[in-house]
Amino acid sequence: MSKNLTSRSEDYSKWYNELVVKADLAQNSAVRGCMVIKPYGYAIWEKMQAELDRMFKETGHQNAYFPLFVPKSLFEAEEKNAEGFAKECAVVTHYRLQNDPDNPGKLRVDPEAKLEEELVVRPTSEAIIWSTYKGWIQSYRDLPLLINQWANVVRWEMRTRLFLRTAEFLWQEGHTAHATKAEAITEAELMNNVYAEFAENFMAIPVIKGTKTESERFAGADETYCIEALMQDGKALQAGTSHFLGQNFAKAFDVKFATKEGTQEYVWATSWGVSTRLMGALIMTHSDDQGLVLPPNLAPNQVIIVPIYKGEDQLEELSGTVKEIMKSLRHLGVTVKYDDRDTYRPGAKFAQHELQGVPLRIAIGARDLANGTVELARRDTLTKESVALEGLEQHIKDLLEEIQQSLFDKARNYRDEHITEVDSFDEFKKVLKNKGGFLSAHWDGTSETEDKIKEMTKATIRCIPMENNMEVGKCILTGAESSQRVLFAKAY
């Protein structure tokens, strides 16, 4: 598995695209704009799923599944949502193919099989879910309703990049209903905090929690909470969003409940989601010119053991020791794989596991066995050490925890070094061009100014930070009064 990766400093975008393919994570498919997630990439996604699913269930949510197709009349019921996604929708208009009489062996759409009503392939599921909730919610006893689904969605994209932006992608979407506005807001904030905890403790990605400006909110939301991360090229990536939907969808689909007092009220709603875009965030936050760097909490294999041997007798002797090491590691909850393939030389195996970001690699040969040691290589620092077999398993367990924390600290230091306060538009443009990262600046609060800055610089307001110091200042573009700084950045 040859590396030959373009360096990040030479061409960051090319480096990313090459790494996704060469590390065997994903590839472009025969369907334009869609991807095939390969087993190694999907194994990482499965670990993300498992942890998030656990966290959702611990906060009281249940999984369900809703249809892929949404009747157009349902989709357009909530006008802001429909308008926001209209240009990205794939639409089913017919239900049957037939042999093409003018082209033997070919098929055509049967002109007589036109649907009475077009079906939208879900870009998001609020419409189909809220039309369902109307039958589920009758009384305050039915609330709160806390549902999540793991699914795929389609948003028609003209420019695509593996994991970051594809026409079809995998995600989870939570949809909840509440008796009061306060409960719904608490839910939206809670799930944004869950995403932040997952990103930082599991993915080792530091994030900034905040709210979106009105023009950047989810279509149909009263408030959008988000977590924003910074990639190694100084661009921001939205890693997760959680939306307070007010009563917009309840009113659109007439979802009411009987209160304890016997009155009828519209319910309050939230929705929240993260997608396979997290795979892109993971790659771009930690990886280097040698390949992937995976935090131990996400690595399909936290440890790889490679035997160095001559002949079957040596291999058999080494394998006996390796099996004992693996048994002890698994007992400690460490995922470990023995790479005893005889079709690759040790050097080729080392290169593959380095490219695929395996956190720790053990090499063991006859001489190591005689000395009671192994060679231990760290992927994050590319350092090697000779370690005694005695106590090896606990040493590895401790080292994996150290690597997880080290990756987070490194990413956080980079992020913090790339948050720059600017007080003028000239300074804004200079920092954006030469340094990048997050620019903390005053903004007058108007969509007009926000749009103009975006048009002139391609930088957008990523969020209004939740933990923000209220500080009177002047907008960098208009000079109008501002009560707090917001974070701008160029973004994916």
Side-chain angles (χ1 to χ4, degrees):
M1 192 177 283
S2 175
K3 293 181 184 177
N4 297 323
L5 288 171
T6 299
S7 70
R8 290 163 295 168
S9 58
E10 182 183 345
D11 190 329
Y12 192 84
S13 179
K14 190 176 180 182
W15 164 81
Y16 173 84
N17 293 333
E18 289 177 354
L19 180 51
V20 171
V21 173
K22 291 189 176 186
D24 235 18
L25 300 177
Q27 65 181 59
N28 289 306
S29 75
V31 184
R32 186 185 178 281
C34 296
M35 64 177 169
V36 174
I37 304 176
K38 300 183 78 173
Y40 192 67
Y42 200 80
I44 299 171
W45 175 243
E46 282 182 315
K47 294 202 80 168
M48 292 182 179
Q49 275 188 304
E51 182 66 10
L52 282 166
D53 202 61
R54 179 191 66 78
M55 296 174 83
F56 296 159
K57 286 170 181 172
E58 285 185 355
T59 47
H61 300 84
Q62 300 180 84
N63 287 333
Y65 186 80
F66 297 85
L68 173 68
F69 303 114
V70 185
K72 186 167 75 71
S73 60
L74 289 182
F75 186 74
E76 63 192 7
E78 210 292 325
E79 292 180 12
K80 286 186 179 179
N81 190 252
E83 182 183 345
F85 284 102
K87 293 180 180 179
E88 299 177 350
C89 288
V91 183
V92 180
T93 58
H94 291 73
Y95 62 84
R96 186 170 61 214
L97 299 174
Q98 64 177 196
N99 291 323
D100 188 344
D102 299 323
N103 293 286
K106 301 295 183 181
L107 296 170
R108 71 174 187 180
V109 173
D110 184 348
E112 303 299 319
K114 189 170 173 45
L115 291 169
E116 289 185 19
E117 180 180 4
E118 296 92 340
L119 297 174
V120 175
V121 182
R122 63 175 170 225
T124 183
S125 294
E126 277 80 3
I128 194 70
I129 287 176
W130 278 91
S131 69
T132 305
Y133 281 2
K134 179 174 172 58
W136 289 8
I137 298 170
Q138 307 299 325
S139 142
Y140 69 90
R141 297 181 182 88
D142 301 320
L143 299 173
L145 184 59
L146 308 176
I147 301 294
N148 174 66
Q149 82 162 342
W150 292 96
N152 62 337
V153 291
V154 171
R155 296 180 183 175
W156 214 251
E157 297 279 0
M158 300 311 293
R159 292 183 173 182
T160 59
R161 289 181 77 183
L162 294 171
F163 291 121
L164 293 174
R165 195 173 293 278
T166 50
E168 179 197 17
F169 54 90
L170 305 182
W171 77 346
Q172 59 72 215
E173 49 181 320
H175 297 271
T176 70
H178 304 266
T180 68
K181 178 179 179 179
E183 284 180 19
I185 290 174
T186 298
E187 164 77 6
E189 292 176 343
L190 168 68
M191 298 320 293
N192 200 52
N193 289 336
V194 166
Y195 289 151
E197 182 183 340
F198 169 75
E200 297 195 340
N201 296 341
F202 206 67
M203 298 180 69
I205 297 177
V207 295
I208 294 173
K209 294 184 287 188
T211 57
K212 290 290 188 182
T213 62
E214 184 177 356
S215 63
E216 292 286 333
R217 281 179 200 149
F218 177 76
D222 285 358
E223 189 75 89
T224 289
Y225 302 87
C226 62
I227 54 171
E228 293 286 331
L230 192 66
M231 305 297 98
Q232 292 180 63
D233 62 345
K235 287 185 179 179
L237 187 140
Q238 179 180 285
T241 51
S242 180
H243 316 288
F244 167 58
L245 303 177
Q247 295 176 311
N248 299 330
F249 285 89
K251 289 178 179 178
F253 293 94
D254 195 33
V255 184
K256 295 179 179 178
F257 72 102
T259 67
K260 289 181 180 179
E261 293 73 31
T263 60
Q264 289 284 315
E265 301 285 349
Y266 287 108
V267 300
W268 298 83
T270 80
S271 66
W272 30 273
V274 294
S275 75
T276 38
R277 168 175 268 225
L278 289 178
M279 292 285 292
L282 181 74
I283 295 161
M284 290 195 292
T285 299
H286 301 302
S287 301
D288 59 24
D289 292 347
Q290 307 305 311
L292 280 180
V293 177
L294 295 178
N297 287 350
L298 269 185
N301 299 302
Q302 295 171 315
V303 178
I304 287 284
I305 303 176
V306 179
I308 315 293
Y309 63 95
K310 292 180 181 179
E312 291 300 316
D313 289 345
Q314 274 193 12
L315 177 60
E316 187 176 342
E317 187 179 5
L318 290 171
S319 295
T321 299
V322 168
K323 286 177 182 176
E324 290 302 315
I325 295 172
M326 292 174 69
K327 182 179 178 181
S328 298
L329 285 173
R330 286 169 177 160
H331 182 71
L332 292 175
V334 175
T335 56
V336 57
K337 183 178 179 181
Y338 185 29
D339 189 353
D340 60 350
R341 293 173 295 172
D342 60 8
T343 49
Y344 291 89
R345 296 178 65 83
K349 295 177 185 180
F350 293 168
Q352 176 184 346
H353 301 312
E354 193 171 275
L355 177 61
Q356 292 191 314
V358 178
L360 284 174
R361 185 184 73 234
I362 295 173
I364 181 169
R367 185 179 299 173
D368 297 304
L369 204 58
N371 293 334
T373 61
V374 298
E375 181 187 79
L376 195 57
R378 282 178 62 157
R379 176 61 187 88
D380 62 328
T381 59
L382 297 174
T383 55
K384 299 176 183 177
E385 61 175 332
S386 182
V387 179
L389 277 168
E390 186 176 349
L392 173 66
E393 293 82 5
Q394 188 58 49
H395 179 71
I396 287 173
K397 175 82 170 172
D398 295 341
L399 202 52
L400 289 170
E401 292 176 4
E402 180 184 318
I403 292 169
Q404 182 77 25
Q405 186 63 45
S406 177
L407 287 174
F408 176 78
D409 291 343
K410 181 180 178 182
R412 182 175 56 186
N413 289 339
Y414 176 86
R415 194 272 313 272
D416 290 349
E417 289 167 2
H418 287 79
I419 300 176
T420 308
E421 285 194 0
V422 295
D423 294 310
S424 72
F425 196 55
D426 285 341
E427 188 184 5
F428 181 94
K429 290 185 289 185
K430 182 179 178 182
V431 172
L432 191 66
K433 179 181 178 181
N434 298 325
K435 182 181 179 182
F438 288 118
L439 284 77
S440 179
H442 282 282
W443 160 63
D444 63 15
T446 68
S447 297
E448 291 78 14
T449 298
E450 184 180 6
D451 291 342
K452 193 159 188 178
I453 291 174
K454 180 179 179 180
E455 181 185 329
M456 295 169 73
T457 67
K458 296 184 179 177
T460 56
I461 298 176
R462 302 315 305 157
C463 71
I464 303 166
M466 301 284 281
E467 298 177 2
N468 217 9
N469 293 324
M470 303 308 289
E471 168 195 307
V472 175
K474 297 197 178 295
C475 174
I476 55 167
L477 187 66
T478 66
E481 191 168 302
S482 160
S483 62
Q484 61 181 320
R485 293 178 183 269
V486 298
L487 291 181
F488 289 85
K490 289 185 177 178
Y492 285 95

PDB file of all heavy atoms in Angstrom, residues 102-123:
ATOM      1  N   ASP A 102     -37.780   1.728 -29.153  1.00  0.00           N
ATOM      2  CA  ASP A 102     -36.881   2.304 -30.159  1.00  0.00           C
ATOM      3  C   ASP A 102     -35.424   1.897 -29.958  1.00  0.00           C
ATOM      4  O   ASP A 102     -34.586   2.153 -30.829  1.00  0.00           O
ATOM      5  CB  ASP A 102     -36.982   3.833 -30.115  1.00  0.00           C
ATOM      6  CG  ASP A 102     -38.387   4.318 -30.420  1.00  0.00           C
ATOM      7  OD1 ASP A 102     -39.041   3.698 -31.292  1.00  0.00           O
ATOM      8  OD2 ASP A 102     -38.828   5.281 -29.768  1.00  0.00           O
ATOM      9  N   ASN A 103     -35.121   1.279 -28.812  1.00  0.00           N
ATOM     10  CA  ASN A 103     -33.743   0.851 -28.498  1.00  0.00           C
ATOM     11  C   ASN A 103     -33.784  -0.519 -27.840  1.00  0.00           C
ATOM     12  O   ASN A 103     -33.872  -0.623 -26.614  1.00  0.00           O
ATOM     13  CB  ASN A 103     -33.066   1.847 -27.552  1.00  0.00           C
ATOM     14  CG  ASN A 103     -32.822   3.194 -28.188  1.00  0.00           C
ATOM     15  OD1 ASN A 103     -31.927   3.343 -29.016  1.00  0.00           O
ATOM     16  ND2 ASN A 103     -33.634   4.189 -27.807  1.00  0.00           N
ATOM     17  N   PRO A 104     -33.744  -1.585 -28.651  1.00  0.00           N
ATOM     18  CA  PRO A 104     -33.818  -2.947 -28.111  1.00  0.00           C
ATOM     19  C   PRO A 104     -32.751  -3.188 -27.043  1.00  0.00           C
ATOM     20  O   PRO A 104     -31.595  -2.787 -27.185  1.00  0.00           O
ATOM     21  CB  PRO A 104     -33.565  -3.820 -29.344  1.00  0.00           C
ATOM     22  CG  PRO A 104     -34.014  -2.977 -30.498  1.00  0.00           C
ATOM     23  CD  PRO A 104     -33.665  -1.575 -30.127  1.00  0.00           C
ATOM     24  N   GLY A 105     -33.180  -3.813 -25.941  1.00  0.00           N
ATOM     25  CA  GLY A 105     -32.267  -4.112 -24.836  1.00  0.00           C
ATOM     26  C   GLY A 105     -32.104  -2.966 -23.856  1.00  0.00           C
ATOM     27  O   GLY A 105     -31.410  -3.101 -22.851  1.00  0.00           O
ATOM     28  N   LYS A 106     -32.748  -1.825 -24.135  1.00  0.00           N
ATOM     29  CA  LYS A 106     -32.661  -0.665 -23.247  1.00  0.00           C
ATOM     30  C   LYS A 106     -34.008  -0.434 -22.560  1.00  0.00           C
ATOM     31  O   LYS A 106     -35.039  -0.951 -22.975  1.00  0.00           O
ATOM     32  CB  LYS A 106     -32.261   0.589 -24.022  1.00  0.00           C
ATOM     33  CG  LYS A 106     -30.924   0.469 -24.750  1.00  0.00           C
ATOM     34  CD  LYS A 106     -29.771   0.305 -23.777  1.00  0.00           C
ATOM     35  CE  LYS A 106     -28.436   0.249 -24.511  1.00  0.00           C
ATOM     36  NZ  LYS A 106     -27.306   0.056 -23.570  1.00  0.00           N
ATOM     37  N   LEU A 107     -33.960   0.377 -21.504  1.00  0.00           N
ATOM     38  CA  LEU A 107     -35.171   0.704 -20.752  1.00  0.00           C
ATOM     39  C   LEU A 107     -35.468   2.194 -20.849  1.00  0.00           C
ATOM     40  O   LEU A 107     -34.573   3.008 -21.091  1.00  0.00           O
ATOM     41  CB  LEU A 107     -35.003   0.316 -19.279  1.00  0.00           C
ATOM     42  CG  LEU A 107     -34.822  -1.172 -18.959  1.00  0.00           C
ATOM     43  CD1 LEU A 107     -34.439  -1.344 -17.504  1.00  0.00           C
ATOM     44  CD2 LEU A 107     -36.092  -1.957 -19.272  1.00  0.00           C
ATOM     45  N   ARG A 108     -36.712   2.533 -20.640  1.00  0.00           N
ATOM     46  CA  ARG A 108     -37.118   3.928 -20.545  1.00  0.00           C
ATOM     47  C   ARG A 108     -38.166   4.061 -19.442  1.00  0.00           C
ATOM     48  O   ARG A 108     -38.766   3.078 -19.009  1.00  0.00           O
ATOM     49  CB  ARG A 108     -37.683   4.433 -21.872  1.00  0.00           C
ATOM     50  CG  ARG A 108     -39.039   3.848 -22.219  1.00  0.00           C
ATOM     51  CD  ARG A 108     -39.628   4.475 -23.463  1.00  0.00           C
ATOM     52  NE  ARG A 108     -40.997   4.012 -23.687  1.00  0.00           N
ATOM     53  CZ  ARG A 108     -41.754   4.399 -24.709  1.00  0.00           C
ATOM     54  NH1 ARG A 108     -41.261   5.230 -25.622  1.00  0.00           N
ATOM     55  NH2 ARG A 108     -43.001   3.948 -24.830  1.00  0.00           N
ATOM     56  N   VAL A 109     -38.360   5.305 -19.002  1.00  0.00           N
ATOM     57  CA  VAL A 109     -39.416   5.563 -18.032  1.00  0.00           C
ATOM     58  C   VAL A 109     -40.757   5.383 -18.737  1.00  0.00           C
ATOM     59  O   VAL A 109     -40.985   5.903 -19.834  1.00  0.00           O
ATOM     60  CB  VAL A 109     -39.298   6.997 -17.474  1.00  0.00           C
ATOM     61  CG1 VAL A 109     -40.494   7.326 -16.584  1.00  0.00           C
ATOM     62  CG2 VAL A 109     -37.994   7.157 -16.691  1.00  0.00           C
ATOM     63  N   ASP A 110     -41.633   4.612 -18.110  1.00  0.00           N
ATOM     64  CA  ASP A 110     -42.968   4.388 -18.672  1.00  0.00           C
ATOM     65  C   ASP A 110     -43.770   5.678 -18.567  1.00  0.00           C
ATOM     66  O   ASP A 110     -44.095   6.130 -17.464  1.00  0.00           O
ATOM     67  CB  ASP A 110     -43.663   3.262 -17.893  1.00  0.00           C
ATOM     68  CG  ASP A 110     -45.019   2.897 -18.482  1.00  0.00           C
ATOM     69  OD1 ASP A 110     -45.524   3.648 -19.350  1.00  0.00           O
ATOM     70  OD2 ASP A 110     -45.581   1.868 -18.054  1.00  0.00           O
ATOM     71  N   PRO A 111     -44.110   6.306 -19.694  1.00  0.00           N
ATOM     72  CA  PRO A 111     -44.841   7.578 -19.632  1.00  0.00           C
ATOM     73  C   PRO A 111     -46.224   7.451 -19.005  1.00  0.00           C
ATOM     74  O   PRO A 111     -46.801   8.445 -18.558  1.00  0.00           O
ATOM     75  CB  PRO A 111     -44.930   8.004 -21.099  1.00  0.00           C
ATOM     76  CG  PRO A 111     -44.763   6.750 -21.881  1.00  0.00           C
ATOM     77  CD  PRO A 111     -43.856   5.879 -21.084  1.00  0.00           C
ATOM     78  N   GLU A 112     -46.743   6.224 -18.954  1.00  0.00           N
ATOM     79  CA  GLU A 112     -48.059   6.008 -18.354  1.00  0.00           C
ATOM     80  C   GLU A 112     -47.980   5.775 -16.846  1.00  0.00           C
ATOM     81  O   GLU A 112     -49.007   5.583 -16.192  1.00  0.00           O
ATOM     82  CB  GLU A 112     -48.735   4.783 -19.004  1.00  0.00           C
ATOM     83  CG  GLU A 112     -48.894   4.878 -20.507  1.00  0.00           C
ATOM     84  CD  GLU A 112     -49.764   6.068 -20.898  1.00  0.00           C
ATOM     85  OE1 GLU A 112     -50.778   6.302 -20.210  1.00  0.00           O
ATOM     86  OE2 GLU A 112     -49.410   6.770 -21.859  1.00  0.00           O
ATOM     87  N   ALA A 113     -46.755   5.757 -16.302  1.00  0.00           N
ATOM     88  CA  ALA A 113     -46.579   5.430 -14.876  1.00  0.00           C
ATOM     89  C   ALA A 113     -46.227   6.655 -14.053  1.00  0.00           C
ATOM     90  O   ALA A 113     -45.463   6.575 -13.089  1.00  0.00           O
ATOM     91  CB  ALA A 113     -45.501   4.359 -14.729  1.00  0.00           C
ATOM     92  N   LYS A 114     -46.781   7.787 -14.418  1.00  0.00           N
ATOM     93  CA  LYS A 114     -46.513   9.021 -13.677  1.00  0.00           C
ATOM     94  C   LYS A 114     -47.252   8.993 -12.342  1.00  0.00           C
ATOM     95  O   LYS A 114     -48.430   8.647 -12.276  1.00  0.00           O
ATOM     96  CB  LYS A 114     -46.964  10.221 -14.507  1.00  0.00           C
ATOM     97  CG  LYS A 114     -46.552  11.568 -13.939  1.00  0.00           C
ATOM     98  CD  LYS A 114     -46.830  12.651 -14.960  1.00  0.00           C
ATOM     99  CE  LYS A 114     -46.623  14.050 -14.436  1.00  0.00           C
ATOM    100  NZ  LYS A 114     -45.447  14.282 -13.669  1.00  0.00           N
ATOM    101  N   LEU A 115     -46.535   9.339 -11.260  1.00  0.00           N
ATOM    102  CA  LEU A 115     -47.154   9.380  -9.937  1.00  0.00           C
ATOM    103  C   LEU A 115     -48.203  10.487  -9.867  1.00  0.00           C
ATOM    104  O   LEU A 115     -48.030  11.561 -10.462  1.00  0.00           O
ATOM    105  CB  LEU A 115     -46.086   9.631  -8.860  1.00  0.00           C
ATOM    106  CG  LEU A 115     -45.083   8.506  -8.584  1.00  0.00           C
ATOM    107  CD1 LEU A 115     -43.956   9.033  -7.706  1.00  0.00           C
ATOM    108  CD2 LEU A 115     -45.771   7.332  -7.906  1.00  0.00           C
ATOM    109  N   GLU A 116     -49.258  10.238  -9.121  1.00  0.00           N
ATOM    110  CA  GLU A 116     -50.273  11.273  -8.913  1.00  0.00           C
ATOM    111  C   GLU A 116     -49.675  12.455  -8.160  1.00  0.00           C
ATOM    112  O   GLU A 116     -50.017  13.601  -8.399  1.00  0.00           O
ATOM    113  CB  GLU A 116     -51.462  10.709  -8.133  1.00  0.00           C
ATOM    114  CG  GLU A 116     -52.315   9.739  -8.942  1.00  0.00           C
ATOM    115  CD  GLU A 116     -53.541   9.311  -8.152  1.00  0.00           C
ATOM    116  OE1 GLU A 116     -53.918  10.011  -7.180  1.00  0.00           O
ATOM    117  OE2 GLU A 116     -54.123   8.281  -8.518  1.00  0.00           O
ATOM    118  N   GLU A 117     -48.762  12.153  -7.209  1.00  0.00           N
ATOM    119  CA  GLU A 117     -48.059  13.197  -6.479  1.00  0.00           C
ATOM    120  C   GLU A 117     -46.582  12.849  -6.407  1.00  0.00           C
ATOM    121  O   GLU A 117     -46.212  11.718  -6.079  1.00  0.00           O
ATOM    122  CB  GLU A 117     -48.620  13.352  -5.063  1.00  0.00           C
ATOM    123  CG  GLU A 117     -47.905  14.444  -4.277  1.00  0.00           C
ATOM    124  CD  GLU A 117     -48.428  14.622  -2.860  1.00  0.00           C
ATOM    125  OE1 GLU A 117     -49.311  13.841  -2.440  1.00  0.00           O
ATOM    126  OE2 GLU A 117     -47.946  15.536  -2.165  1.00  0.00           O
ATOM    127  N   GLU A 118     -45.731  13.828  -6.734  1.00  0.00           N
ATOM    128  CA  GLU A 118     -44.303  13.581  -6.697  1.00  0.00           C
ATOM    129  C   GLU A 118     -43.831  13.263  -5.280  1.00  0.00           C
ATOM    130  O   GLU A 118     -44.414  13.754  -4.299  1.00  0.00           O
ATOM    131  CB  GLU A 118     -43.520  14.799  -7.220  1.00  0.00           C
ATOM    132  CG  GLU A 118     -43.772  15.128  -8.667  1.00  0.00           C
ATOM    133  CD  GLU A 118     -44.899  16.135  -8.847  1.00  0.00           C
ATOM    134  OE1 GLU A 118     -45.725  16.279  -7.900  1.00  0.00           O
ATOM    135  OE2 GLU A 118     -44.985  16.755  -9.918  1.00  0.00           O
ATOM    136  N   LEU A 119     -42.775  12.446  -5.194  1.00  0.00           N
ATOM    137  CA  LEU A 119     -42.169  12.110  -3.914  1.00  0.00           C
ATOM    138  C   LEU A 119     -40.786  12.734  -3.829  1.00  0.00           C
ATOM    139  O   LEU A 119     -39.962  12.560  -4.732  1.00  0.00           O
ATOM    140  CB  LEU A 119     -42.055  10.590  -3.753  1.00  0.00           C
ATOM    141  CG  LEU A 119     -43.367   9.799  -3.722  1.00  0.00           C
ATOM    142  CD1 LEU A 119     -43.071   8.304  -3.717  1.00  0.00           C
ATOM    143  CD2 LEU A 119     -44.202  10.177  -2.501  1.00  0.00           C
ATOM    144  N   VAL A 120     -40.530  13.459  -2.747  1.00  0.00           N
ATOM    145  CA  VAL A 120     -39.210  14.033  -2.497  1.00  0.00           C
ATOM    146  C   VAL A 120     -38.372  12.983  -1.767  1.00  0.00           C
ATOM    147  O   VAL A 120     -38.838  12.372  -0.801  1.00  0.00           O
ATOM    148  CB  VAL A 120     -39.327  15.308  -1.643  1.00  0.00           C
ATOM    149  CG1 VAL A 120     -37.945  15.843  -1.281  1.00  0.00           C
ATOM    150  CG2 VAL A 120     -40.136  16.364  -2.375  1.00  0.00           C
ATOM    151  N   VAL A 121     -37.148  12.743  -2.248  1.00  0.00           N
ATOM    152  CA  VAL A 121     -36.218  11.888  -1.507  1.00  0.00           C
ATOM    153  C   VAL A 121     -35.680  12.733  -0.348  1.00  0.00           C
ATOM    154  O   VAL A 121     -35.129  13.800  -0.575  1.00  0.00           O
ATOM    155  CB  VAL A 121     -35.060  11.404  -2.401  1.00  0.00           C
ATOM    156  CG1 VAL A 121     -34.125  10.478  -1.612  1.00  0.00           C
ATOM    157  CG2 VAL A 121     -35.604  10.678  -3.619  1.00  0.00           C
ATOM    158  N   ARG A 122     -35.880  12.240   0.863  1.00  0.00           N
ATOM    159  CA  ARG A 122     -35.687  13.114   2.035  1.00  0.00           C
ATOM    160  C   ARG A 122     -34.318  13.815   2.053  1.00  0.00           C
ATOM    161  O   ARG A 122     -33.272  13.148   2.034  1.00  0.00           O
ATOM    162  CB  ARG A 122     -35.864  12.322   3.334  1.00  0.00           C
ATOM    163  CG  ARG A 122     -34.851  11.232   3.530  1.00  0.00           C
ATOM    164  CD  ARG A 122     -34.965  10.516   4.879  1.00  0.00           C
ATOM    165  NE  ARG A 122     -34.105   9.337   4.847  1.00  0.00           N
ATOM    166  CZ  ARG A 122     -34.466   8.131   5.277  1.00  0.00           C
ATOM    167  NH1 ARG A 122     -35.648   7.921   5.778  1.00  0.00           N
ATOM    168  NH2 ARG A 122     -33.606   7.132   5.209  1.00  0.00           N
ATOM    169  N   PRO A 123     -34.320  15.147   2.137  1.00  0.00           N
ATOM    170  CA  PRO A 123     -33.090  15.872   2.437  1.00  0.00           C
ATOM    171  C   PRO A 123     -32.942  16.039   3.951  1.00  0.00           C
ATOM    172  O   PRO A 123     -31.871  16.300   4.476  1.00  0.00           O
ATOM    173  CB  PRO A 123     -33.309  17.221   1.755  1.00  0.00           C
ATOM    174  CG  PRO A 123     -34.786  17.412   1.802  1.00  0.00           C
ATOM    175  CD  PRO A 123     -35.411  16.042   1.745  1.00  0.00           C
TER     176      PRO A 123
END
